[in-house]
Amino acid sequence: MNTKVKLKEVYEIKQQYKAFYTGGTVAWKSDGRQFLCLNNGTISIVSIDNLHEPVTLGEEQTDSEITEDVIYTFAIGNTGTNIVSGHRSGLLKMWDGEKHTVQKMWKTMHQGPISRLVFNPSDSVIASGGADSTIRLWDPMEQVCHGTLRGCEGMINVIVFHPEADSKILVAVGDDTKIRAWNYESRKLIKTFEGHFSRVTGVSFSEDRKHIVSSGRDKILILWNFDTQQAVKTIPVYEALESVLVLSAGVKIGGVKLKKDKVYAACGGEDGLVKVWEMTEAKIIYKQSNSLVAKASEEGGLAITHLFYSESLAQMAVVSADHNIFVHGCEGFECVHQLSGFSDEILDLTLLGKRDRYLAMATNSNDFKVYDISTMNCQLVKGHTDIVMSLAGNDRYLLSSSKDHSIRLWSFSEEPFNIHCIAIGLKHTNVVGCVALSQHSGSLCASVSQDRCLKTWQIPKKIKAEAENELPRLQCSLTELAHEKDINSVCISPNDRLIATGSQDKTAKLWDASDLSVVGVFRGHTRGIWAVRFSPVDQILLTNAADCCIKLWSLEDMTCLKTFEGHDSSVLRVEFISNGMQLLSAGADGLMKLWTIKTSECVQTLDRHENRIWALCVTRDESVFYSGGSDSQLIQWHDVTESKRQQELDQRKETLLQEQELNNLLSERKLLKALRLSLNLDRPLSTLKIVNEVIKTQEQGLEETVRKLSNDHKERLLRHAVEWNTNSKNCRPAQLALNVLLQETLAGRFQVSDLNKHLEASLPYTERHFKRLTEYMKDLKFVEYSLHCMQPHATKMD
């Protein structure tokens, strides 16, 4: 069977999923199809339907090299065609929303960074608010400043234009508690609203334009009469609010239709729930019950940071403090899209479903994420109360473990994807670091914890709830104090009869799954073991450890069969592939290696991660595998061995044909055509022979032929000539070729990248050749002179 398996040789990146939102400004296009998110000083444009390749505006940067022109904030025009961004350099840049290119840029006169940018309703004015407490008004067509609005204190946090462009009114809020309104044409302060006791975080105009609603960190909502500047209603909401949005009449939200002549405001804050208030009567008409945003861990903390409403789609978008975006259909307030902007540290990955369509990911968070691989749409799965550490899946179930000392069993359906927790295991007394799920019968799972215990659990065919609103408990069938230190890994054998564990105590142990009796102990690593794996076909156990080694052990006599040394740092994860004939390993230095077990050699090293790689998972057909680590990148790799082999075969075939053609041309004495083909094949010796033949036959047209060559071919000829020049036998063809090529360079027909390097390489040899030829000429002249002197004496003797 093994002989039929084709070994992998080359993996290449198919997709690289990085963060697209790392906090700060977010905008939703008016058509509701795309989000614009601030991402490490750039703007990412993300489609809500397909997250494969977000478009990036601005200069991408790495941690080691922070670029000067970082984007601080941005705004999108109401038509969606223009985007303006504020940069660290003090520039404002106008981008074309379709082509994603910079159209205009101009310098602002703000002292310090720009905190807010807003277009007016007609897109004819841009307001920029800065840390210098001023708001400047710009004409985007002429790039001139029309005026400056002063009066706010501290950094400008909120800027809102009056929805009617003709009114010429702008409302803004600084770090103080006052809301100020200006006529931005006359630049006069016309209104001041005083009523909040803490920072104001949101302002929204009512549909009739007679009222505004404001939210603040002081846990109140205020309905203001815009004309009289009086607070009509002050509503205590008992949570610090970050965003408020007035909804228009006729909108259905959570099954309730909003009436005319009333003001409805949706707000979000530290509770992580969207609430809709009827402002005049101060009552909640809708409170979200299915929120995916976790409540802030401390009072006054952040949970919901932005709220958006799309009229065209009748949907509301909620942005959370942990960089997730949720799009809800307003009528039933069900979640229709989930976008995960930033994954933090990826701790574990596992594939779900019959065709490996879904990818579950644990990401240093209480919730884990499940991605649909075809679109990379994400679903957040809530349940654990502390960070999820490990995941394991098969066709029916998903198993997760957490720092909350529990394991949870999840059932899922595929079309459409739906996942819910069906049982919980609560017998551990410390962090549950790793879980394993039986692939053979699906009725057994194992867990290991920092309490140094190994536990096995039975998964019944039917799970019944013990009490209403309480999850059924998984029955722990066996427990064993397994190691002397923390246990890092557990694995169940393909036939479900054996269980292996790896620990920080430098040992791996083999257990009988029926009674947890010790079958064997594997000693040999000099540092803690990170992972253990059973071979899918042989009686072999694999261990990888912090001593940079991977070891293969025989399950029959517990001896070490092979040790793989090649990583320069801890080996964190290894997987068997190619029917147990190859290994994929991941290290703490961000390198992955592909090994062939038979030859013990490393076939390929993959270097795209910037930090520790904690997670690897391979699809069943092994054509694709996924890797994730502490650089929060998820990378999809695919096997290109066959295509590379085919490419090499095609290339060899092409080369053989060209070589045959070259031989034919040489036999037919078509030297100049042969020269071009020889350069194409990059054959220095053949090219030398052809140039020598041209010199010998004194064939004309060498200069003309060289002139017609492409720049690459000329560069190749230059390289060959420099090589020939090192041998005195070949100095004539070398100097001839150099002469022709230097003339081409002087004439501007030949651009060479490393001309200095080539000249430096040829100059010493050229000087030596010149010196030798000069000596030959001297000797020749001396012989001629001697003959000339001897001529009269020769006639006398005659």
Side-chain angles (χ1 to χ4, degrees):
M1 190 173 100
N2 284 358
T3 53
K4 293 179 184 176
V5 176
K6 289 184 177 176
L7 297 182
K8 314 283 186 287
E9 288 175 11
V10 188
Y11 275 102
E12 281 183 359
I13 287 181
K14 191 175 184 182
Q15 289 288 347
Q16 197 166 354
Y17 304 104
K18 294 183 179 179
F20 61 79
Y21 175 49
T22 54
T25 314
V26 183
W28 198 8
K29 274 198 173 181
S30 52
D31 62 1
R33 303 318 308 168
Q34 288 179 321
F35 280 98
L36 280 80
C37 309
L38 202 61
N39 176 18
N40 275 334
T42 61
I43 301 167
S44 290
I45 302 174
V46 197
S47 164
I48 62 171
D49 298 316
N50 195 324
L51 305 178
H52 278 310
E53 286 185 24
V55 177
T56 301
L57 305 182
E59 292 181 40
E60 291 199 50
Q61 57 190 3
T62 59
D63 292 339
S64 57
E65 182 187 4
I66 299 293
T67 45
E68 275 300 307
D69 221 16
V70 167
I71 296 172
Y72 283 142
T73 186
F74 67 89
I76 184 166
N78 296 290
T79 57
T81 52
N82 289 328
I83 301 160
V84 65
S85 57
H87 296 251
R88 183 193 280 175
S89 57
L91 289 174
L92 285 180
K93 291 185 182 179
M94 181 77 81
W95 303 79
D96 186 310
E98 301 290 321
K99 298 175 185 170
H100 309 129
T101 53
V102 177
Q103 293 176 310
K104 298 166 183 173
M105 65 173 84
W106 65 97
K107 187 85 176 165
T108 65
M109 292 160 295
H110 283 287
Q111 300 295 312
I114 300 162
S115 56
R116 282 285 176 272
L117 284 168
V118 182
F119 280 90
N120 77 335
S122 62
D123 288 354
S124 58
V125 175
I126 297 170
S128 65
D132 56 359
S133 311
T134 64
I135 300 154
R136 296 184 187 272
L137 301 157
W138 304 91
D139 183 332
M141 303 308 292
E142 304 293 330
Q143 300 100 55
V144 292
C145 181
H146 284 321
T148 305
L149 308 179
R150 292 185 173 87
C152 286
E153 293 175 22
M155 185 178 280
I156 306 298
N157 294 308
V158 178
I159 300 175
V160 179
F161 278 96
H162 194 286
E164 290 165 11
D166 298 338
S167 67
K168 308 290 183 188
I169 291 172
L170 178 145
V171 176
V173 180
D175 278 337
D176 56 347
T177 58
K178 296 176 185 176
I179 302 166
R180 295 174 174 84
W182 288 265
N183 180 316
Y184 60 81
E185 205 165 56
S186 62
R187 297 188 288 287
K188 285 182 181 171
L189 181 65
I190 53 172
K191 289 178 171 57
T192 305
F193 302 84
E194 294 184 48
H196 282 281
F197 303 104
S198 189
R199 191 178 130 191
V200 180
T201 54
V203 175
S204 186
F205 277 86
S206 67
E207 200 176 9
D208 59 7
R209 317 301 184 218
K210 293 176 184 174
H211 298 88
I212 59 169
V213 178
S214 63
S215 63
R217 296 263 174 91
D218 50 7
K219 305 186 179 182
I220 57 172
L221 274 175
I222 302 181
L223 175 67
W224 306 86
N225 183 312
F226 191 67
D227 296 326
T228 63
Q229 302 169 48
Q230 296 299 311
V232 179
K233 207 81 179 173
T234 301
I235 304 172
V237 292
Y238 307 107
E239 62 165 327
L241 297 177
E242 281 299 310
S243 188
V244 68
L245 199 64
V246 171
L247 300 171
S248 50
V251 171
K252 267 192 176 180
I253 186 152
V256 181
K257 191 172 183 179
L258 306 187
K259 298 171 186 172
K260 284 188 177 180
D261 305 324
K262 301 216 173 191
V263 180
Y264 297 92
C267 61
E270 66 176 301
D271 283 353
L273 304 172
V274 175
K275 297 170 189 170
V276 180
W277 291 81
E278 201 288 287
M279 295 300 295
T280 49
E281 293 175 19
K283 66 176 183 182
I284 293 179
I285 64 151
Y286 175 74
K287 184 177 179 181
Q288 189 183 3
S289 58
N290 60 343
S291 176
L292 291 163
V293 182
K295 187 178 177 178
S297 54
E298 55 191 38
E299 193 179 346
L302 295 177
I304 291 175
T305 56
H306 300 81
L307 284 179
F308 300 99
Y309 177 68
S310 167
E311 274 187 47
S312 60
L313 298 175
Q315 291 177 344
M316 190 178 283
V318 177
V319 183
S320 72
D322 50 2
H323 314 119
N324 295 316
I325 302 169
F326 306 100
V327 181
H328 295 268
C330 283
E331 194 163 334
F333 223 77
E334 73 287 351
C335 186
V336 289
H337 293 288
Q338 297 182 32
L339 289 78
S340 176
F342 178 62
S343 287
D344 202 2
E345 195 163 354
I346 298 171
L347 301 178
D348 204 2
L349 295 167
T350 189
L351 287 155
L352 305 176
K354 288 177 181 167
R355 293 189 186 87
D356 292 333
R357 183 176 168 184
Y358 298 96
L359 180 74
M361 182 197 292
T363 61
N364 214 15
S365 158
N366 301 0
D367 316 322
F368 63 88
K369 296 164 186 168
V370 180
Y371 288 90
D372 182 338
I373 283 163
S374 56
T375 61
M376 284 315 284
N377 278 335
C378 167
Q379 187 163 329
L380 222 65
V381 184
K382 303 182 86 66
H384 285 286
T385 56
D386 208 336
I387 289 170
V388 177
M389 298 293 291
S390 173
L391 298 167
N394 60 18
D395 286 346
R396 291 182 61 207
Y397 298 117
L398 175 70
L399 190 67
S400 62
S401 73
S402 165
K403 282 188 175 181
D404 61 11
H405 306 181
S406 73
I407 67 168
R408 284 177 179 254
L409 186 69
W410 308 78
S411 172
F412 59 89
S413 56
E414 292 199 34
E415 293 289 343
F417 186 80
N418 192 14
I419 186 166
H420 61 279
C421 186
I422 55 170
I424 184 170
L426 293 168
K427 296 289 183 183
H428 280 289
T429 59
N430 210 324
V431 175
V432 187
C434 188
V435 283
L437 192 57
S438 151
Q439 300 294 324
H440 179 62
S441 65
S443 61
L444 173 74
C445 62
S447 61
V448 291
S449 164
Q450 285 184 11
D451 60 14
R452 297 176 290 160
C453 285
L454 162 66
K455 291 181 186 287
T456 58
W457 313 74
Q458 284 301 320
I459 301 172
K461 288 185 179 175
K462 285 189 178 177
I463 298 171
K464 292 178 183 175
E466 292 172 5
E468 207 173 321
N469 298 328
E470 195 174 313
L471 282 170
R473 297 289 171 87
L474 280 175
Q475 294 304 310
C476 177
S477 49
L478 295 162
T479 300
E480 186 67 43
L481 188 64
H483 288 270
E484 294 168 16
K485 290 185 180 177
D486 294 357
I487 309 170
N488 291 329
S489 180
V490 63
C491 187
I492 299 172
S493 66
N495 62 3
D496 292 356
R497 290 183 184 172
L498 297 169
I499 295 171
T501 55
S503 164
Q504 284 295 107
D505 64 8
K506 308 173 194 174
T507 66
K509 291 186 180 179
L510 195 64
W511 310 84
D512 189 318
S514 60
D515 59 358
L516 284 194
S517 59
V518 178
V519 178
V521 181
F522 304 95
R523 292 186 177 89
H525 284 288
T526 57
R527 301 283 291 276
I529 293 170
W530 279 112
V532 287
R533 286 287 177 271
F534 284 99
S535 167
V537 290
D538 298 313
Q539 292 195 357
I540 285 173
L541 181 77
L542 176 149
T543 58
N544 54 277
D547 59 5
C548 314
C549 291
I550 303 163
K551 288 181 184 286
L552 295 181
W553 308 83
S554 166
L555 297 183
E556 290 176 355
D557 55 8
M558 313 301 157
T559 55
C560 180
L561 302 172
K562 262 188 182 178
T563 300
F564 297 88
E565 294 178 347
H567 281 278
D568 294 327
S569 58
S570 298
V571 187
L572 302 177
R573 194 73 178 259
V574 184
E575 295 290 344
F576 278 102
I577 56 169
S578 308
N579 264 14
M581 294 168 71
Q582 287 185 293
L583 304 174
L584 261 175
S585 64
D589 53 2
L591 294 179
M592 283 181 289
K593 290 181 183 287
L594 174 64
W595 306 83
T596 300
I597 292 174
K598 191 175 180 182
T599 60
S600 303
E601 72 174 308
C602 174
V603 181
Q604 190 188 11
T605 300
L606 306 167
D607 180 14
R608 282 309 281 267
H609 283 282
E610 292 158 20
N611 216 319
R612 291 183 187 88
I613 302 168
W614 289 115
L616 282 181
C617 69
V618 187
T619 58
R620 274 171 243 200
D621 62 2
E622 296 180 351
S623 60
V624 171
F625 78 90
Y626 296 86
S627 62
S630 53
D631 57 358
S632 52
Q633 282 191 84
L634 172 69
I635 299 181
Q636 181 185 10
W637 306 82
H638 67 143
D639 176 23
V640 292
T641 308
E642 281 303 308
S643 59
K644 287 280 180 188
R645 280 178 186 157
Q646 192 58 47
Q647 209 174 316
E648 281 174 20
L649 280 171
D650 293 345
Q651 210 168 335
R652 278 185 65 191
K653 194 175 173 183
E654 183 67 27
T655 306
L656 285 167
L657 287 169
Q658 286 185 339
E659 282 180 356
Q660 186 58 52
E661 195 183 338
L662 178 63
N663 290 333
N664 294 344
L665 288 170
L666 287 171
S667 63
E668 291 168 16
R669 310 291 295 165
K670 293 179 180 174
L671 299 176
L672 299 175
K673 273 188 181 178
L675 175 67
R676 187 174 287 147
L677 195 55
S678 178
L679 289 169
N680 207 30
L681 289 165
D682 199 9
R683 296 285 166 83
L685 194 62
S686 299
T687 313
L688 176 63
K689 283 177 182 172
I690 293 162
V691 174
N692 276 327
E693 281 295 315
V694 169
I695 293 166
K696 201 184 285 180
T697 55
Q698 294 185 345
E699 189 175 331
Q700 297 299 309
L702 181 65
E703 286 183 30
E704 196 64 37
T705 305
V706 171
R707 195 170 294 160
K708 286 177 185 173
L709 292 174
S710 69
N711 208 70
D712 285 349
H713 284 158
K714 285 177 185 174
E715 200 156 336
R716 224 170 261 177
L717 182 60
L718 177 62
R719 211 169 57 244
H720 292 179
V722 169
E723 200 178 312
W724 306 333
N725 200 41
T726 57
N727 192 330
S728 57
K729 286 182 190 174
N730 308 324
C731 68
R732 191 176 176 196
Q735 291 300 321
L736 183 66
L738 284 170
N739 180 38
V740 174
L741 289 168
L742 288 172
Q743 282 177 5
E744 287 292 294
T745 309
L746 291 169
R749 291 188 289 268
F750 174 36
Q751 281 82 38
V752 58
S753 50
D754 297 323
L755 185 62
N756 287 353
K757 189 175 143 190
H758 291 307
L759 289 176
E760 277 175 25
S762 61
L763 269 172
Y765 292 103
T766 305
E767 282 172 7
R768 197 182 296 168
H769 300 325
F770 182 71
K771 198 173 177 183
R772 194 180 62 253
L773 287 170
T774 309
E775 290 299 320
Y776 282 153
M777 288 301 288
K778 274 185 190 174
D779 292 347
L780 194 61
K781 290 291 178 189
F782 181 71
V783 171
E784 278 182 15
Y785 173 72
S786 301
L787 282 169
H788 186 68
C789 289
M790 289 162 67
Q791 201 72 33
H793 301 291
T795 49
K796 278 181 189 178
M797 285 177 72
D798 288 341

